[in-house]
Amino acid sequence: MNKSVYVDNNATTAVAPEVTEAMLPYFTEHWGNPSSMHAFGGNVKKALDEAREKVAALIGAEHPNEIIFTSCGSESDNMAIRGAVDAMGGHPHIITTRVEHAAVLGPCHYLEDKGFRLSTLEVDAKGSLDLNQVLELSMSGKKTVASIMWANNETGVIFPIPAIGSIVKQGGGVFHTDAVQIAGKLPISVKDAPVDLLSISGHKLHAPKGIGALYARRGTKVTPHIMGGHQERGRRAGTENVPYIVGLGKACEMAMENMQKDALHERKLRDRLEAGILASCKGAHVNGGGAERLPNTTNISFEYVEGEAILLMLDDVGICASTGSACASGSLEPSHVLRAMDVPRSMLHGSIRFSFSRYNTDEDVDYVLEKLPPIIKRLRELSPFAND
């Protein structure tokens, strides 16, 4: 192996050195409990409050107390959906899309099994939503809880969340968005979007794994699912993970400072990689290429080639990519996102996601463009279908 190139940043990002540095004192010097009455705990509580302010600033929240710290994006999604449904009472109509992350689809299908009505919105071949679907379901006259992602984790396709939120709120519903992939990559503001609940995850924006947050707009009722303590204003019991919360706050601060520069850098790398692959690899197609996308993400299908085989051969030469969501790793089923987009069967199993971060370089793209085309050529030669 001559080189290691990591282009799987939608799965997880490297912890920024500045984030690690900010966290370290809270493992060693400032290890008190932020709920303690003494000054040693009070100093830790101050750091927790400062981190909450930084997370709130990243998403344009009106008040830091609208931020609830969780263990990850999946917990935030579950807390939002199940908590909102439980707080609403009765049997509200649940609305989501076919292309959501498993952390949203999981609780939605769980509630469906419990007797709740669930509607899943379709997407077109570009991965985009038809707002008329949202309008029809939101205006049905029944109480609704809608959960629709801001940006897709596999294709990077961005949904018009301000418009969708307006429709849901007009119908009197509660609106949650999974913003795990877009937070820190592009500007978002809950002041400008009628969002009641919003999920983020630290390890998608150069903070550690094991820390996330849920934004809950003031007045939005969410039943806590971890009970037994007063922490997080009674909304999530358990002593706060202070070092990781501090790390998340620092990562959010850095994202705000570097977002424009990082997005420009990542889009340049993404576009050059796409152009190079399409020019050098027969039967390549960009999934969601006709829609607005995250600047760092491309999902490319290779006709008559198995994605797992591509990944294994890329790994042999030190290139780390993925076939889609890391949470679906190990599944032999084709991507539910690409199936929803009606990607042809000849391409459905041959999809690779490349996702960049601020730490990727032009040399990384050069290396992928050097190693990938011969791999695709070899696999197509072995395919029993490629030459039919």
Side-chain angles (χ1 to χ4, degrees):
M1 189 181 297
N2 299 319
K3 185 177 174 67
S4 178
V5 170
Y6 186 84
V7 279
D8 195 17
N9 288 278
N10 283 10
T12 195
T13 57
V15 177
E18 298 91 338
V19 170
T20 302
E21 184 179 359
M23 292 170 61
L24 286 176
Y26 296 91
F27 287 109
T28 55
E29 303 167 39
H30 309 297
W31 40 264
N33 190 321
S35 297
S36 298
M37 296 294 292
H38 45 67
F40 192 67
N43 289 334
V44 176
K45 175 68 163 55
K46 181 181 178 182
L48 191 148
D49 290 341
E50 290 174 353
R52 201 183 305 274
E53 291 173 0
K54 293 173 183 177
V55 176
L58 178 68
I59 63 171
E62 186 176 352
H63 197 280
N65 286 339
E66 294 176 313
I67 302 299
I68 305 166
F69 290 117
T70 66
S71 66
C72 59
S74 293
E75 183 191 338
S76 297
D77 287 341
N78 275 261
M79 181 178 179
I81 296 164
R82 297 177 65 179
V85 167
D86 192 47
M88 185 174 285
H91 262 62
H93 179 191
I94 302 165
I95 302 170
T96 190
T97 78
R98 284 187 61 191
V99 297
E100 298 296 315
H101 190 278
V104 167
L105 293 176
C108 286
H109 287 303
Y110 169 84
L111 291 167
E112 182 183 30
D113 290 343
K114 296 294 182 182
F116 289 81
R117 180 188 171 196
L118 173 66
S119 294
T120 51
L121 305 174
E122 302 287 339
V123 296
D124 61 20
K126 296 178 181 178
S128 299
L129 281 173
D130 179 359
L131 294 186
N132 288 325
Q133 294 181 78
V134 185
L135 183 63
E136 180 181 350
L137 293 172
S138 298
M139 300 300 181
S140 64
K142 184 176 176 59
K143 292 189 295 184
T144 60
V145 173
S147 179
I148 297 174
M149 64 188 357
W150 207 315
N152 188 266
N153 52 296
E154 293 193 26
T155 62
V157 171
I158 297 171
F159 288 157
I161 289 302
I164 294 170
S166 294
I167 294 171
V168 173
K169 299 306 293 178
Q170 286 173 24
V174 173
F175 183 45
H176 164 253
T177 184
D178 179 337
V180 163
Q181 289 296 344
I182 197 170
K185 294 174 185 166
L186 290 174
I188 58 173
S189 174
V190 292
K191 291 177 183 175
D192 303 322
V195 171
D196 298 304
L197 300 158
L198 179 148
S199 304
I200 70 171
S201 178
H203 76 107
K204 309 296 187 181
L205 48 92
H206 302 290
K209 304 168 191 66
I211 184 65
L214 176 66
Y215 160 79
R217 188 182 295 274
R218 281 193 288 187
T220 301
K221 296 180 180 179
V222 180
T223 300
H225 65 287
I226 300 179
M227 305 176 188
H230 65 277
Q231 293 88 356
E232 299 302 294
R233 300 173 66 85
R235 298 170 296 186
R236 184 187 186 272
T239 303
E240 295 92 345
N241 186 355
V242 176
Y244 281 46
I245 289 171
V246 169
L248 176 60
K250 181 63 177 179
C252 289
E253 180 181 57
M254 292 178 64
M256 290 190 68
E257 293 171 353
N258 300 310
M259 194 179 302
Q260 186 175 3
K261 178 180 68 175
D262 287 349
L264 188 65
H265 171 68
E266 292 160 14
R267 181 177 284 110
K268 177 185 174 184
L269 297 179
R270 190 271 311 271
D271 290 350
R272 193 160 74 84
L273 179 67
E274 276 186 1
I277 290 175
L278 294 177
S280 61
C281 297
K282 184 178 180 181
H285 172 77
V286 178
N287 298 308
E292 183 184 5
R293 290 178 294 157
L294 295 173
N296 79 316
T297 306
T298 183
N299 186 300
I300 301 180
S301 283
F302 300 92
E303 194 173 27
Y304 302 123
V305 178
E306 287 290 332
E308 289 79 7
I310 301 172
L311 284 187
L312 288 172
M313 295 180 76
L314 286 174
D315 190 46
D316 283 342
V317 294
I319 297 171
C320 305
S322 72
T323 55
S325 172
C327 294
S329 178
S331 172
L332 295 178
E333 291 296 315
S335 161
H336 71 286
V337 173
L338 301 187
R339 279 184 288 166
M341 294 167 63
D342 286 328
V343 172
R345 288 182 61 85
S346 60
M347 293 186 171
L348 196 54
H349 284 276
S351 167
I352 301 295
R353 181 187 67 187
F354 301 94
S355 46
F356 294 94
S357 82
R358 66 172 69 119
Y359 299 123
N360 286 115
T361 64
D362 284 317
E363 288 74 22
D364 291 340
V365 174
D366 292 338
Y367 189 69
V368 175
L369 290 177
E370 174 192 343
K371 297 298 183 181
L372 179 63
I375 289 173
I376 300 302
K377 183 176 184 294
R378 174 61 175 154
L379 290 174
R380 286 180 63 85
E381 289 171 349
L382 295 173
S383 171
F385 306 106
N387 297 312
D388 288 352

